[in-house]
Amino acid sequence: MAENTLALISFVLTLMVFSYLLGDLPLIRHLYRIAVYLLIGTSAAFTLIVGYEYLLLPFWQDVQNPATSWTALGNQADLLLFVTALLFAALLLLKPVTRLGWLTNSILAVVVVMGAAVGVVGALRGTLLPLLEATARLPALDADLGSLLESLLVLLGTLTALFSFHYQANASGDGRRYGLSKAFRTIGKAFVVTALGAIYASTILSSLTILTERIAFLFQYGA
Amino acid sequence: MNRRPRVGISMAAMTGFLVGVTAILSLLLGDNPALFGGGAQADALAQDFALPGDVLLRLLVIVLALSIVFGIANLLIVHTRRVAHGRLMSGVLLASFAGAIGWHITRRGDTSLLETIQLPIESALAALLCITLVAGGARILARRSDIWGLLFVLVVVVVLLGSLPLPELAPIAAFSDWLMRIPVQAGARAILLGIALGSIVVGVRALLGQDRSVRG
């Protein structure tokens, strides 16, 4: 297809999405929806293509080749694993059959728990331990006062912000908090709100960059 | 009264618990020979520990890939039914799906459809996000004008101004840098730690069979 035609399609699609800004006008409101439905359709197709060509097909080709093996158990075990996975997936389709609930729930439990196990290990090794280590690490004693104070501020901010997440009711049960707990919470909340504000601003900056690129494209093509 | 099939629930919970504990132990101990004292024997032991986790992960990846295929099939079935009821937008979805698959089969390796349809729509939607985020920020000031709303908007304004390459705004840029280095780092660390702790709690709940998806 000619490059100009492809650019024209991109131009029209960009305008269709931007028509959202015009609000709920007759006819125009459908343009945005058409663009979104187009996006969903193509996304589903590309997801299917990637899932088939980069996940399922390589697995199937590996299983068929006796020289390759995923694990130390050998190619025959791979074949068994592949068939088991196919069986699991097929049985998941039987979820609406209540009589087979014990079986489908067990398979779903394996899938959910495996995802949870990967999540737990990832959270422990990827986030919790490195962040705790980085937070608790203080600068050397011969470091200047400024960096020592900054490290202490980060430690204080992290601890108070974590404390502010914790729900705690007082003895009277009126939901109000007093004293040190309230002060800790307030300081922690200030740190959390500051972080969220900065993340919000960073997102605005990223989308602003994309907006300028899109507007430049519209002007470039329009000219 | 609607009674739950107890045997099924306990079997699902038991299977989940066994698989989960095996996977966690295998993933934690599997690639860490130092835990077993080091040396060739420790390496072999660590590999033995890694094997169940590896097998279960492969199983999970294939099942998830097939689940995605089933999900897409379900999407197509639902939208085919909607077309039958006269919903033309679903026809757009089905046509774009068929078009993308057909394009991929006939023009293997040609990414121009991705660049012509997917990229412009996605980047235009991301560009719209800028406008909605700014409108959201203004709404915070209008609807939630307490100290926290003001602090939030103030931080947003400082970070935005600090990113401008104007020499007149150098003090704001310096303050924005400090803000990002100390308070934002502390707050972001706490948020990430909170997410990690929450993930662990949810994972352990699923492992113990307390999660709704495991209980059925």
Side-chain angles (χ1 to χ4, degrees):
Chain A
M1 208 179 284
E3 202 169 300
N4 272 347
T5 320
L6 296 178
L8 177 69
I9 296 171
S10 299
F11 178 78
V12 172
L13 286 173
T14 306
L15 284 181
M16 280 165 79
V17 175
F18 283 165
S19 71
Y20 175 80
L21 295 172
L22 295 175
D24 205 13
L25 295 173
L27 286 175
I28 286 178
R29 67 178 169 204
H30 294 300
L31 295 176
Y32 173 76
R33 289 187 65 202
I34 290 171
V36 171
Y37 273 79
L38 267 173
L39 177 72
I40 297 168
T42 49
S43 299
F46 288 129
T47 310
L48 186 68
I49 290 164
V50 170
Y52 175 71
E53 290 195 350
Y54 294 95
L55 275 172
L56 294 175
L57 197 62
F59 275 139
W60 177 236
Q61 284 167 346
D62 280 352
V63 166
Q64 284 179 314
N65 183 3
T68 58
S69 176
W70 301 330
T71 60
L73 296 173
N75 185 258
Q76 286 301 311
D78 291 354
L79 183 63
L80 194 68
L81 192 65
F82 194 78
V83 173
T84 311
L86 289 181
L87 190 70
F88 273 25
L91 284 172
L92 279 179
L93 285 176
L94 298 176
K95 184 86 173 117
V97 183
T98 43
R99 278 173 162 273
L100 289 173
W102 60 276
L103 185 62
T104 51
N105 280 347
S106 300
I107 290 163
L108 196 64
V110 171
V111 175
V112 170
V113 163
M114 265 309 291
V118 173
V120 166
V121 174
L124 257 176
R125 285 167 68 166
T127 311
L128 202 63
L129 296 178
L131 277 184
L132 283 177
E133 195 191 331
T135 309
R137 195 188 306 132
L138 288 172
L141 285 175
D142 56 348
D144 63 309
L145 189 67
S147 51
L148 189 71
L149 283 176
E150 284 182 346
S151 297
L152 283 174
L153 199 59
V154 171
L155 182 67
L156 174 82
T158 311
L159 290 177
T160 51
L162 268 176
F163 186 74
S164 74
F165 293 146
H166 177 61
Y167 176 75
Q168 206 176 24
N170 64 351
S172 65
D174 61 358
R176 296 173 72 181
R177 297 171 193 93
Y178 306 96
L180 199 63
S181 164
K182 191 180 176 188
F184 260 57
R185 251 168 231 286
T186 310
I187 297 168
K189 203 172 169 184
F191 276 97
V192 174
V193 171
T194 308
L196 290 176
I199 295 167
Y200 197 83
S202 307
T203 317
I204 290 178
L205 279 175
S206 311
S207 54
L208 191 65
T209 312
I210 302 170
L211 179 65
T212 48
E213 183 274 326
R214 276 295 92 191
I215 290 173
F217 168 76
L218 289 179
F219 276 109
Q220 191 187 342
Y221 189 80
Chain B
M1 208 172 97
N2 187 16
R3 292 185 64 187
R4 287 175 181 277
R6 289 261 161 221
V7 179
I9 294 166
S10 57
M11 188 175 164
M14 226 162 62
T15 317
F17 181 75
L18 287 175
V19 169
V21 169
T22 312
I24 287 183
L25 285 177
S26 175
L27 292 170
L28 280 176
L29 305 176
D31 57 349
N32 208 345
L35 284 174
F36 305 104
Q41 207 177 354
D43 280 348
L45 202 59
Q47 276 177 7
D48 287 345
F49 264 102
L51 188 64
D54 203 15
V55 169
L56 286 169
L57 271 180
R58 293 270 175 191
L59 190 77
L60 180 74
V61 168
I62 302 171
V63 173
L64 286 181
L66 286 166
S67 306
I68 289 170
V69 175
F70 294 154
I72 292 170
N74 184 48
L75 178 88
L76 297 178
I77 291 167
V78 167
H79 282 277
T80 311
R81 280 194 201 131
R82 286 175 58 146
V83 170
H85 286 94
R87 308 281 284 271
L88 291 178
M89 288 295 174
S90 296
V92 173
L93 187 146
L94 291 175
S96 63
F97 178 85
I101 294 283
W103 182 281
H104 179 74
I105 292 168
T106 53
R107 294 169 178 237
R108 200 160 276 273
D110 185 357
T111 56
S112 49
L113 187 73
L114 187 82
E115 286 158 17
T116 312
I117 293 183
Q118 194 99 352
L119 281 183
I121 299 179
E122 279 183 7
S123 49
L125 284 171
L128 275 186
L129 188 69
C130 176
I131 293 155
T132 47
L133 283 178
V134 172
R139 202 173 291 169
I140 287 173
L141 271 187
R143 290 197 182 169
R144 200 194 151 112
S145 52
D146 59 356
I147 178 92
W148 302 117
L150 285 174
L151 177 66
F152 182 85
V153 176
L154 195 71
V155 171
V156 172
V157 172
V158 166
V159 173
L160 287 177
L161 287 177
S163 67
L164 291 175
L166 295 174
E168 294 84 5
L169 296 175
I172 295 180
F175 180 62
S176 169
D177 280 349
W178 179 83
L179 211 63
M180 294 299 260
R181 210 157 35 83
I182 310 294
V184 172
Q185 193 190 9
R189 267 185 196 176
I191 291 169
L192 286 174
L193 284 170
I195 293 170
L197 288 170
S199 310
I200 292 171
V201 170
V202 171
V204 171
R205 266 179 64 86
L207 204 76
L208 297 175
Q210 294 297 307
D211 196 75
R212 199 179 149 75
S213 54
V214 176
R215 281 189 290 140

